[in-house]
Amino acid sequence: MTVLLVFGLFVVIATAHNITFLEVPRYGDPYRDANLNCHYINEKDDPDLHSVKWYRGNHEIFRYTPGQQPPTRTFNSTAGGVTRGSCNQHSCAISVVLPKAINTRISFTCEVSTEGPRFAVVKQTKNLTVAVVLKEDPIITGMPGSVQFGEEVPLNCTTSPAMPPANIVWYVDGKAERREPWMVNHTQVSHPDEFGLRTSWRSLRVRVNTPRGYMAVRCEATQPIWPPFVRSTNATLVVARSPHLSMFTASGINPAVSQVSVLVMTVTLHIFSKYSALSEI
């Protein structure tokens, strides 16, 4: 960053290091420290690095000043302090304690400044939401090897433990399951485990009514946090063909018409066989 300051006939150029990347996880487990990292570079004519500061909201929680001894300093915070810090001329990493309140949103800022006389400053901010997100995609159970046209298939979708628990929605051939207006949410939630995490599950009875040879189903689990955390699983129901009607259905003939055709062919063959037997007498 370059700023031109004009005082009379003098031009003073104040430059700061550039922050190339700020690593702040989007979600943080309340039972684990969150690891943050700030990466920065200096241009050829930049002054030396003066300090790197970390802020939690508006409160400074950590400072790295390479020209001082000791070079690092932590600041007390009622919301949770810094447990570890490791910094150098190009990066500064810290680990912070997170609050236990789920869905708490915290902003972390990395501020980098260069030596005087102007002490130019550059900063970046990212947000972290406290939550135990789903570690795996949901699991679909009850999938048969194949199904028949008109058959009703019971399926179930289950998530891994998380907090807050996920809401589950089923999709059949890309469309959300049909629900009555009074059906707010049929997702079932378990009791909390020893860590306070809950498992979600939801059942679906899907009727096979497609003329195609398959039906696509998808289970989508969404945790109600900001931004929402989503995991999903896809599966395919294979629709078996009737062996007696396959030659008609393959040609696109209506199954009802094909049944009449089979009946006509059967009667014709019976009459023909009877006539042939009479002609031999």
Side-chain angles (χ1 to χ4, degrees):
M1 178 179 69
T2 303
V3 181
L4 298 180
L5 303 176
V6 181
F7 299 97
L9 298 178
F10 298 96
V11 178
V12 179
I13 300 178
T15 61
H17 289 36
N18 290 322
I19 296 178
T20 57
F21 187 59
L22 177 61
E23 293 182 277
V24 175
R26 179 172 289 186
Y27 307 99
D29 190 325
Y31 300 101
R32 298 180 180 179
D33 292 352
N35 298 318
L36 320 178
N37 203 341
C38 185
H39 302 263
Y40 39 86
I41 59 172
N42 60 312
E43 302 297 337
K44 180 179 179 181
D45 297 324
D46 283 351
D48 293 336
L49 177 69
H50 175 262
S51 67
V52 179
K53 299 178 181 179
W54 280 98
Y55 293 86
R56 182 183 192 135
N58 296 321
H59 303 285
E60 185 179 358
I61 58 175
F62 182 87
R63 182 185 301 176
Y64 168 61
T65 311
Q68 296 182 358
Q69 290 298 327
T72 61
R73 180 183 176 187
T74 59
F75 299 87
N76 294 330
S77 173
T78 56
V82 175
T83 59
R84 182 185 63 85
S86 177
C87 305
N88 55 44
Q89 293 295 322
H90 301 290
S91 67
C92 187
I94 62 173
S95 297
V96 297
V97 178
L98 298 178
K100 298 300 183 286
I102 296 295
N103 226 355
T104 302
R105 202 164 189 227
I106 311 169
S107 65
F108 289 101
T109 300
C110 174
E111 178 186 283
V112 180
S113 64
T114 53
E115 289 287 0
R118 294 299 168 188
F119 296 98
V121 174
V122 64
K123 63 178 67 176
Q124 282 190 21
T125 301
K126 284 189 176 182
N127 296 317
L128 176 150
T129 298
V130 180
V132 181
V133 296
L134 298 166
K135 300 297 189 294
E136 302 170 349
D137 291 337
I139 297 175
I140 296 177
T141 55
M143 291 292 296
S146 63
V147 295
Q148 298 293 330
F149 184 88
E151 183 179 351
E152 190 174 74
V153 183
L155 303 176
N156 189 68
C157 178
T158 306
T159 71
S160 57
M163 195 63 194
N167 295 321
I168 297 175
V169 176
W170 280 98
Y171 291 84
V172 179
D173 286 336
K175 297 181 180 180
E177 61 177 307
R178 294 173 55 185
R179 295 184 295 172
E180 300 297 332
W182 52 267
M183 295 171 61
V184 179
N185 192 352
H186 272 187
T187 300
Q188 305 295 311
V189 178
S190 70
H191 292 292
D193 63 14
E194 57 182 321
F195 302 105
L197 309 183
R198 296 173 182 262
T199 297
S200 302
W201 69 90
R202 187 169 190 158
S203 299
L204 172 71
R205 299 188 72 87
V206 57
R207 184 171 295 279
V208 181
N209 57 5
T210 176
R212 299 179 302 171
Y214 65 93
M215 289 183 69
V217 295
R218 182 171 90 251
C219 167
E220 187 173 277
T222 303
Q223 288 184 263
I225 52 181
W226 185 256
F229 187 79
V230 182
R231 277 187 176 272
S232 62
T233 298
N234 297 300
T236 302
L237 287 168
V238 178
V239 183
R241 292 177 178 269
S242 173
H244 301 294
L245 305 179
S246 59
M247 64 179 180
F248 297 102
T249 56
S251 303
I253 300 176
N254 187 288
V257 175
S258 65
Q259 291 180 6
V260 174
S261 301
V262 171
L263 179 60
V264 172
M265 290 177 63
T266 303
V267 173
T268 303
L269 289 172
H270 177 72
I271 294 174
F272 179 77
S273 300
K274 186 175 181 180
Y275 176 79
S276 299
L278 290 173
S279 62
E280 292 177 357
I281 299 175

